[in-house]
Amino acid sequence: TQLLEQSPQFLSIQEGENLTVYCNSSSVFSSLQWYRQEPGEGPVLLVTVVTGGEVKKLKRLTFQFGDARKDSSLHITAAQPGDTGLYLCAGALIDYKLSFGAGTTVTVRA
Amino acid sequence: GAGVSQSPRYKVAKRGQDVALRCDPISGHVSLFWYQQALGQGPEFLTYFQNEAQLDKSGLPSDRFFAERPEGSVSTLKIQRTQQEDSAVYLCASSLVRGEAFFGQGTRLTVV
């Protein structure tokens, strides 16, 4: 059973469009991470959010941590084919143990 | 090395065979984790080491799974008497900062 629910499971959009991926839980996390994973590779850390209500921007990617530290969202502006991949959110309940969502597969068509 | 290195990248094992998967963490990272990722799923926690001490093995699916990190650096995940349900990608990660993990490319294990 995964503590984090991600939605949608799949997302296919045209280059230049915007997209948002959601990560929800009933548990409170001390921190939350977003990773991107490409086929045949391990997850690559994109960002860590720690404070409730925190917003972090990484070029065209915007990450938000919910006020109650139970949920998060990832917004991509003007998506490009290079953004294609599996996006995973992961929350730290105990400081060392990450609990992952099932992931959102994003496909950006040229 | 610059990142976490895992070997082999791919392993095909006959049912009942023992396998050993190796992980070389980022130099200086005291924390090391093993995760199992089934097809279409996120990684699931298996076990955690701080230096050579295995502090948490609550995610190991059965007593056929065993992990060690004898000198606090390289780690080995061993699976005895492999079964088809063991087929998955096994990911190793190391960490310096609480809650952040840097992953290797994984070992894809296929049990036939």
Side-chain angles (χ1 to χ4, degrees), chain A residues 1-2 9 30-31 33 35 37 40-45 47-48 50 86 88 92 94-103, chain B residues 9-10 31 33 35 37 40-45 48 55-56 58-59 89 91 97-106 108:
Chain A
T1 305
Q2 290 175 307
Q9 188 176 358
S30 60
S31 67
Q33 290 78 41
Y35 292 82
Q37 186 176 23
E41 302 293 327
V44 175
L45 179 66
V47 77
T48 297
V50 178
L86 175 68
L88 294 158
I94 305 171
D95 58 2
Y96 60 82
K97 185 184 291 189
L98 292 178
S99 179
F100 280 84
Chain B
R9 287 293 313 277
Y10 304 93
S31 298
F33 310 84
Y35 286 82
Q37 187 174 24
Q41 297 296 316
E44 295 275 356
F45 172 83
Y48 161 65
L55 299 185
D56 188 337
S58 62
V89 174
L91 294 164
V97 175
R98 186 180 74 178
E100 294 186 345
F102 294 89
F103 285 83
Q105 293 177 302
R108 180 176 296 278

Side-chain angles (χ1 to χ4, degrees), chain B residues 31-96:
Chain B
S31 298
L32 184 145
F33 310 84
W34 284 98
Y35 286 82
Q36 180 190 60
Q37 187 174 24
L39 192 64
Q41 297 296 316
E44 295 275 356
F45 172 83
L46 293 177
T47 187
Y48 161 65
F49 289 86
Q50 187 171 70
N51 295 307
E52 69 279 3
Q54 188 175 21
L55 299 185
D56 188 337
K57 54 182 181 179
S58 62
L60 296 177
S62 76
D63 58 10
R64 295 186 297 103
F65 287 71
F66 173 74
E68 61 183 5
R69 194 186 184 197
E71 296 178 1
S73 178
V74 171
S75 177
T76 304
L77 176 67
K78 297 179 179 178
I79 309 173
Q80 297 177 324
R81 304 182 303 281
T82 52
Q83 300 178 5
Q84 281 194 315
E85 60 263 32
D86 300 335
S87 295
V89 174
Y90 290 86
L91 294 164
C92 175
S94 68
S95 173
L96 192 60

Side-chain angles (χ1 to χ4, degrees), chain A residues 12-34:
Chain A
S12 180
I13 60 170
Q14 200 70 33
E15 181 177 4
E17 294 180 340
N18 301 333
L19 69 95
T20 302
V21 177
Y22 299 93
C23 177
N24 295 290
S25 176
S26 57
S27 300
V28 177
F29 296 99
S30 60
S31 67
L32 191 139
Q33 290 78 41
W34 284 92

